[in-house]
Amino acid sequence: MQTYFTPGPAQLYPTFEKHLKTFVDRQLGSVSHRSQVYRELHAFTVSQLRSLLSVPDTHAILFLGSASEVWERILLSMVEKESFHLVNGSFSQKFYQYALAAGKKATKMEKAPGNGFDFDEITVPEEAELICTTHNETSCGVQMTETEIHRLKEAHPDKMIAVDMVSSAPYPALDYSLVDTAFFSVQKAFGLPAGLGVWIVGKQCLEKAILLKERKGLSIGAHHDLPTLWKNALNNETPATPNVMLIYLLGKIAADMNDKGVDTIRKETEKKAGLLYGFARANDAFSPFVLSEHHRSRTVAVLDTQLPAAEIIARLKERNLVIGSGYGDKKATQVRIANFPATDVAQIEALVSELAKI
Amino acid sequence: MQTYFTPGPAQLYPTFEKHLKTFVDRQLGSVSHRSQVYRELHAFTVSQLRSLLSVPDTHAILFLGSASEVWERILLSMVEKESFHLVNGSFSQKFYQYALAAGKKATKMEKAPGNGFDFDEITVPEEAELICTTHNETSCGVQMTETEIHRLKEAHPDKMIAVDMVSSAPYPALDYSLVDTAFFSVQKAFGLPAGLGVWIVGKQCLEKAILLKERKGLSIGAHHDLPTLWKNALNNETPATPNVMLIYLLGKIAADMNDKGVDTIRKETEKKAGLLYGFARANDAFSPFVLSEHHRSRTVAVLDTQLPAAEIIARLKERNLVIGSGYGDKKATQVRIANFPATDVAQIEALVSELAKI
């Protein structure tokens, strides 16, 4: 068996197989998505996520096909004309490109990958309706802290703010009185196979979508439009047949995380990140790509390497440890190491010990 | 264990558990969607589906979140102004409503549920660019035969034609030289959990999408737009992280179906449909809802009931046989019985035998 430290798809959560077996044994793959059995399953997952991520009742928790789909639905539902994007990597850039493809005027503040954003350097264009932030840039391991995100919203209460936490939830402790919408994928820190995006979205976003559709006459999309998703969610259902298996498994793993305690998970994440970055600082063959400690991702560590990344990856693989290569043009000179809850302190220690031998 | 004759989610295919175990044992839930392992898995599924459904190389086979998502992508990619819909049930009506929500002019020819369409009664509006047909209306058990669909395209070679085969594929033997695009979901006749839509789409559809985007300046969507999906598919990849688990399982089940032979599957489907409808005609307490034999669905049998449907469903459930209720306002007076490949002749005989005792 290999241990995956790849930034998603990633190591599956230790209880994944147990819950999958229950799903199969209970024949939940065959139950109707309009049945009470399904509605209870759906409600359980929503309530576990609410508890884990401290999501208040002002916000709905919706299930879509992927976080990329959520990008599009946010832009269609919440932007009449203009969105503003903080771009410092491939995924924040894609969110920006989605805005252009959706026919919006999109503007951006851009930094080279590896550089993070802080509140006091950001000038938001006056006409922007939505500020798009990325808590964790998976491509280059940069984070924007919750504090900086919250300050940005406090300074612009008239604008909406979206938080991409695809590869960090449940780590960031967002304050949803200061976050209009946020989203993540399950194949990252929740340790599940890919195929489900989770969209956390406030009532104010729904109101904007209704305004755009009914008063402004805009198309806000036909599939998974926010008003239809919201209406179905009130009944613990989805408009189309959902991914019942992943919604079930997500609920069970969120419950396991709640049993452990989100504070414990966050502290362990920080401890493991400390081990990874501490090793990279101390070892001549590696160095953290992100120079500012404050901007270094706690969930995806990106390290510059002296040796070719492919060689390091191959040597670890002989020890059944799988890490990721750098993203895009950094493929040969960086490694990416996921630090998700599915791998514990001992596993990160074992990885660091093998890295040290290289 | 219960046997599900519900029209989707439905009984899982007999080999589902075996293939799921292999997926877990091989840790395929953790592999990168940009790796050779994934590309080979993806290529295998596409090749098995190509073989099973006789899809030529002129058409791509793409993976989306659901068939409902495919509705939207077809309308955005293939329609500049106007689509035409044959509507005789809830799902064909939803396809029509998606067209309106996507900002298109949509027209329809409508029949009451239970009534089917034939080629020679259909007048397609001159301005319509796309004709939307439904091979199998899951809500009321009506089919439009392949022959009638093919004749419609032959009479309108200048227009594109789309075929909804959500709850019938692999049963219909479509001729893709006469079908521009078709689509289905995996939780119906492929006997898988829900969460994956399959879009079969011809080169001419891609060309139309490029025309709409580049020459006409229309938004064809930001997420899963056809040119991006197509480009990635050439490399056996997807633009966003896909549902690797269901793509893997679909390939394995399509391979099992190929081993059995699609002709055998189609003949068994017809034999089982004959048993269900033969029983309903002979028994005073039931009657086929669709009067015209030619329009009766081979994969979802809808029967009018003398007794309240809920009572019939409850009595069968005591015998571990699960059938569906009527759709929408027919909930109390109809039952729906899926006739998918996951249940064999003996299981349909056992169901009919229990129905006869009621």
Side-chain angles (χ1 to χ4, degrees):
Chain A
M1 293 292 280
Q2 297 178 308
T3 307
Y4 283 85
F5 298 91
T6 45
Q11 181 72 12
L12 301 185
Y13 203 72
T15 54
F16 164 74
E17 277 192 57
K18 179 182 83 177
H19 297 310
L20 182 65
K21 184 173 184 310
T22 307
F23 180 87
V24 171
D25 290 348
R26 288 182 59 198
Q27 294 186 278
L28 292 173
S30 299
V31 303
S32 167
H33 55 296
R34 303 296 177 216
S35 68
Q36 190 57 24
V37 171
Y38 175 73
R39 284 188 289 270
E40 284 170 15
L41 178 165
H42 183 115
F44 179 82
T45 300
V46 169
S47 74
Q48 291 299 328
L49 289 174
R50 262 191 207 293
S51 168
L52 185 69
L53 303 172
S54 298
V55 179
D57 286 341
T58 47
H59 287 58
I61 299 180
L62 307 173
F63 302 110
L64 284 82
S66 65
S68 307
E69 187 188 356
V70 178
W71 282 338
E72 183 183 55
R73 298 301 139 180
I74 285 175
L75 293 161
L76 291 176
S77 307
M78 295 166 59
V79 180
E80 181 185 357
K81 292 177 182 151
E82 186 171 334
S83 57
F84 173 65
H85 301 255
L86 299 175
V87 174
N88 58 350
S90 300
F91 293 99
S92 43
Q93 171 71 6
K94 276 192 186 165
F95 198 177
Y96 165 76
Q97 286 168 330
Y98 266 49
L100 297 175
K104 310 298 177 188
K105 179 183 172 189
T107 58
K108 60 178 168 178
M109 174 176 175
E110 193 161 11
K111 289 195 175 191
N115 295 283
F117 290 105
D118 287 320
F119 159 71
D120 51 19
E121 61 187 346
I122 298 166
T123 306
V124 181
E126 207 165 309
E127 299 297 316
E129 299 149 66
L130 175 71
I131 306 167
C132 299
T133 70
T134 303
H135 173 262
N136 194 64
E137 230 318 328
T138 323
S139 65
C140 58
V142 172
Q143 72 170 357
M144 179 169 181
T145 65
E146 300 94 306
T147 306
E148 300 300 313
I149 292 169
H150 295 155
R151 288 175 73 195
L152 194 53
K153 172 72 182 184
E154 280 171 329
H156 302 283
D158 56 319
K159 299 186 191 301
M160 302 235 246
I161 195 161
V163 182
D164 178 336
M165 52 173 185
V166 164
S167 54
S168 54
Y171 176 71
L174 293 178
D175 174 353
Y176 286 94
S177 73
L178 294 169
V179 169
D180 299 284
T181 186
F183 52 96
F184 63 90
S185 296
V186 301
Q187 77 275 14
K188 310 284 187 181
F190 282 91
L192 281 167
L196 189 70
V198 178
W199 187 13
I200 300 166
V201 58
K203 188 83 190 288
Q204 63 276 29
C205 310
L206 172 68
E207 284 160 6
K208 177 93 184 237
I210 293 169
L211 172 82
L212 295 185
K213 184 179 183 179
E214 297 185 358
R215 303 250 312 268
K216 305 273 183 177
L218 287 188
S219 171
I220 57 168
H223 179 61
H224 281 171
D225 68 288
L226 183 52
T228 307
L229 282 165
W230 192 287
K231 187 178 148 209
N232 277 267
L234 290 176
N235 198 30
N236 289 307
E237 292 189 8
T238 55
T241 318
N243 193 322
V244 180
M245 179 156 53
L246 283 178
I247 294 171
Y248 171 83
L249 294 169
L250 177 61
K252 290 298 176 185
I253 284 172
D256 292 338
M257 289 181 169
N258 279 321
D259 286 346
K260 184 165 186 171
V262 74
D263 289 341
T264 304
I265 289 171
R266 287 171 181 157
K267 276 181 200 146
E268 277 185 10
T269 299
E270 283 158 11
K271 180 174 181 183
K272 292 185 296 165
L275 289 171
L276 286 166
Y277 289 123
F279 159 77
R281 280 195 310 270
N283 189 298
D284 288 346
F286 297 91
S287 55
F289 174 52
V290 177
L291 298 181
S292 149
E293 198 280 335
H294 172 66
H295 292 136
R296 249 173 233 158
S297 167
R298 279 18 180 192
T299 53
V300 180
V302 176
L303 308 181
D304 284 324
T305 62
Q306 294 291 326
L307 284 172
E311 195 177 319
I312 297 166
I313 291 167
R315 283 171 66 177
L316 286 172
K317 204 162 184 183
E318 290 167 12
R319 303 273 179 277
N320 290 323
L321 302 171
V322 187
I323 64 172
S325 63
Y327 192 90
D329 64 359
K330 301 287 190 184
K331 195 175 172 69
T333 59
Q334 293 185 344
V335 293
R336 288 187 299 158
I337 301 173
N339 176 31
F340 296 150
T343 49
D344 61 20
V345 174
Q347 287 170 307
I348 291 285
E349 283 172 342
L351 174 68
V352 164
S353 156
E354 290 298 331
L355 279 168
K357 294 180 194 165
I358 290 173
Chain B
M1 294 291 280
Q2 296 179 309
T3 307
Y4 282 85
F5 299 90
T6 44
Q11 181 73 11
L12 300 184
Y13 203 71
T15 54
F16 164 74
E17 277 192 57
K18 179 181 82 177
H19 296 311
L20 182 65
K21 185 173 184 311
T22 307
F23 179 88
V24 171
D25 290 347
R26 289 182 59 198
Q27 295 186 279
L28 292 173
S30 299
V31 303
S32 166
H33 55 296
R34 303 295 177 218
S35 68
Q36 190 58 23
V37 171
Y38 175 74
R39 284 188 288 271
E40 284 170 15
L41 178 164
H42 183 114
F44 179 82
T45 301
V46 169
S47 74
Q48 292 298 328
L49 288 174
R50 262 191 208 291
S51 168
L52 185 70
L53 303 172
S54 298
V55 179
D57 285 341
T58 48
H59 287 57
I61 299 180
L62 308 173
F63 302 111
L64 285 81
S66 65
S68 307
E69 187 189 355
V70 178
W71 283 337
E72 182 183 56
R73 298 301 139 179
I74 286 175
L75 292 160
L76 291 175
S77 307
M78 296 166 59
V79 180
E80 180 185 359
K81 290 177 182 153
E82 186 170 335
S83 57
F84 173 64
H85 300 255
L86 298 175
V87 174
N88 58 349
S90 300
F91 293 98
S92 44
Q93 171 71 8
K94 275 191 186 166
F95 198 177
Y96 165 78
Q97 285 167 330
Y98 266 49
L100 296 175
K104 311 299 177 186
K105 179 182 173 189
T107 59
K108 60 179 168 176
M109 175 175 173
E110 193 161 11
K111 288 194 174 191
N115 296 282
F117 290 105
D118 288 320
F119 158 71
D120 52 18
E121 61 187 346
I122 299 165
T123 305
V124 180
E126 208 166 308
E127 299 296 318
E129 298 148 67
L130 175 70
I131 306 168
C132 299
T133 70
T134 303
H135 173 263
N136 194 64
E137 231 317 331
T138 323
S139 66
C140 59
V142 172
Q143 72 170 356
M144 180 168 181
T145 66
E146 300 95 305
T147 307
E148 301 300 314
I149 291 169
H150 295 154
R151 288 175 73 195
L152 193 54
K153 172 72 182 184
E154 280 171 329
H156 302 283
D158 57 319
K159 299 185 191 301
M160 302 237 244
I161 195 162
V163 182
D164 178 336
M165 52 173 186
V166 166
S167 55
S168 54
Y171 175 72
L174 292 179
D175 173 355
Y176 285 94
S177 73
L178 294 169
V179 168
D180 299 285
T181 187
F183 53 95
F184 63 90
S185 295
V186 302
Q187 78 275 15
K188 309 283 186 180
F190 282 90
L192 282 167
L196 188 70
V198 178
W199 187 13
I200 300 166
V201 58
K203 188 84 191 288
Q204 64 276 26
C205 310
L206 172 67
E207 285 160 4
K208 177 93 183 237
I210 293 170
L211 173 82
L212 295 185
K213 184 179 182 178
E214 296 184 0
R215 304 253 310 270
K216 305 273 182 177
L218 287 188
S219 171
I220 58 167
H223 179 62
H224 280 170
D225 67 288
L226 183 52
T228 307
L229 282 165
W230 191 288
K231 188 179 147 207
N232 278 267
L234 291 176
N235 198 30
N236 290 308
E237 292 189 6
T238 54
T241 318
N243 192 321
V244 180
M245 178 156 54
L246 283 179
I247 293 172
Y248 171 83
L249 294 170
L250 177 60
K252 290 298 176 186
I253 285 173
D256 292 338
M257 288 181 169
N258 279 321
D259 286 346
K260 184 166 185 171
V262 74
D263 288 342
T264 304
I265 290 171
R266 286 170 180 157
K267 276 181 199 144
E268 278 185 11
T269 300
E270 283 158 14
K271 181 174 179 183
K272 293 185 295 165
L275 289 171
L276 287 166
Y277 289 123
F279 159 77
R281 280 195 309 270
N283 188 297
D284 288 346
F286 297 91
S287 54
F289 174 52
V290 177
L291 299 181
S292 150
E293 198 280 336
H294 172 66
H295 292 135
R296 251 174 231 157
S297 166
R298 278 20 179 194
T299 53
V300 180
V302 176
L303 308 181
D304 285 324
T305 62
Q306 294 291 325
L307 284 171
E311 195 177 320
I312 296 165
I313 291 166
R315 283 172 65 176
L316 286 173
K317 203 160 185 185
E318 290 167 12
R319 302 272 178 277
N320 290 323
L321 303 170
V322 187
I323 64 172
S325 63
Y327 192 89
D329 64 0
K330 301 287 191 183
K331 194 174 171 71
T333 59
Q334 293 184 343
V335 293
R336 288 187 299 159
I337 301 173
N339 176 32
F340 296 149
T343 50
D344 62 19
V345 174
Q347 286 169 306
I348 292 286
E349 282 172 343
L351 174 68
V352 165
S353 155
E354 290 298 331
L355 279 168
K357 293 180 193 163
I358 289 173

